[in-house]
């Protein structure tokens, strides 16, 4: 079995954020699935508001944390994006983090985990995120994993507390695994022709 590198990219920097529990849960699930899984938390990288993309920096001006993040994003085989819903849209910290890169995502799959503290599980943000991810070159898999009442679903370290979506979770992970393998095989054959 191929050991894929998967980044779990989380998108909130708010005080008392609850979605971090869902992100930690997804890291655990990825490791249990056999992937090399790492959490990318925007609080760990102190990214400025986007003034220029990674590729637009001169080497001497490149922030060290941005360079480290770029290496991780470029090395990954796919991405699990964990997004809350802010005013029916995605969190600004998530958009800011994702927008720093472009070519690094090319022809790699993404999978969306959305959450909210209400009953809809962040699906309105997920629909907008799907469009953005496709434009960045990492189209999302068909299945979305919405998590309503995220504050009650997991413990602080990401263990399930009141999470009742095991069947949906398995479908989500199995589908993502299929896309990870299929797109890795296709990337190994080279980019699509432009003719």
């Amino acid at each position: 079995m191929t050991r894929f590198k998967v980044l779990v990219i989380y998108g909130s920097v708010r005080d008392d954020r609850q979605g971090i529990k869902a992100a930690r849960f997804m890291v655990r699930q990825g490791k249990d699935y056999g992937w090399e899984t790492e959490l990318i938390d925007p609080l760990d990288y102190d990214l400025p508001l986007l003034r220029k993309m990674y590729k637009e920096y001169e080497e001497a001006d490149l922030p060290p944390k941005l360079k480290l993040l770029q290496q991780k994003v470029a090395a990954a085989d796919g991405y699990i994006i964990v997004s809350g819903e802010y005013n029916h849209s995605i969190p600004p910290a998530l958009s800011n983090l994702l927008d720093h890169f472009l070519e690094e995502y090319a022809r790699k799959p993404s999978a969306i985990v959305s959450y909210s503290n209400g009953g809809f599980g962040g699906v309105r943000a997920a629909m907008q995120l799907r469009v953005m991810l496709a434009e960045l070159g990492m189209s999302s898999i068909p299945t979305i994993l919405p998590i309503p009442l995220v504050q009650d679903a997991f413990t602080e370290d990401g263990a399930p507390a009141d999470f009742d979506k095991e069947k949906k979770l398995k479908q989500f992970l199995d589908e993502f695994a299929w896309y990870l393998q299929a797109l890795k095989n296709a990337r190994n054959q080279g980019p699509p022709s432009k003719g």
Side-chain angles (χ1 to χ4, degrees):
M1 182 172 80
T2 306
R3 186 160 170 83
F4 295 109
K5 292 184 179 180
V6 174
L7 297 183
V8 175
I9 300 177
Y10 178 58
S12 176
V13 295
R14 279 187 171 172
D15 292 342
D16 195 31
R17 56 198 185 149
Q18 296 296 306
I20 191 70
K21 300 174 187 177
R24 291 174 181 143
F25 174 74
M26 293 312 302
V27 169
R28 292 165 66 125
Q29 294 305 307
K31 288 180 179 176
D32 288 349
Y33 208 93
W35 302 329
E36 184 181 325
T37 312
E38 182 179 353
L39 175 63
I40 301 297
D41 183 343
L43 282 181
D44 294 336
Y45 291 93
D46 302 319
L47 296 177
L49 287 176
L50 185 67
R51 293 178 63 195
K52 53 186 171 181
M53 297 176 70
Y54 171 84
K55 65 183 180 179
E56 297 168 330
Y57 279 91
E58 298 294 333
E59 183 68 30
D61 299 326
L62 192 58
K65 286 187 177 181
L66 183 60
K67 184 172 186 174
L68 174 63
L69 181 57
Q70 186 274 343
Q71 292 167 347
K72 292 179 180 186
V73 170
D77 294 301
Y79 314 92
I80 297 174
I81 313 297
V82 180
S83 177
E85 182 176 313
Y86 291 13
N87 302 315
H88 295 199
S89 188
I90 66 172
L94 177 59
S95 177
N96 188 59
L97 188 153
L98 293 173
D99 282 340
H100 275 84
F101 310 106
L102 186 61
E103 288 83 358
E104 292 84 353
Y105 304 127
R107 295 174 290 281
K108 298 176 187 177
S110 62
I112 299 171
V113 176
S114 61
Y115 66 87
S116 68
N117 62 3
F120 291 109
V123 294
R124 292 169 293 207
M127 293 304 98
Q128 294 188 33
L129 186 56
R130 179 167 287 197
V131 175
M132 180 183 185
L133 296 176
E135 183 62 24
L136 288 170
M138 54 167 158
S139 296
S140 65
I141 65 170
T143 299
I144 291 172
L145 185 66
I147 302 172
L149 304 173
V150 70
Q151 67 275 14
D152 302 323
F154 309 104
T155 63
E156 196 61 39
D157 67 348
D162 187 16
F163 181 78
D164 62 354
K165 294 181 175 281
E166 284 78 11
K167 183 176 178 184
K168 180 80 169 175
L169 175 65
K170 182 177 184 330
Q171 175 190 352
F172 178 82
L173 293 173
D174 287 349
E175 189 173 275
F176 188 46
W178 187 93
Y179 277 86
L180 284 166
Q181 187 65 65
L183 289 181
K184 187 174 189 81
N185 292 346
R187 286 195 310 277
N188 287 341
Q189 295 175 23
S193 68
K194 300 198 182 219

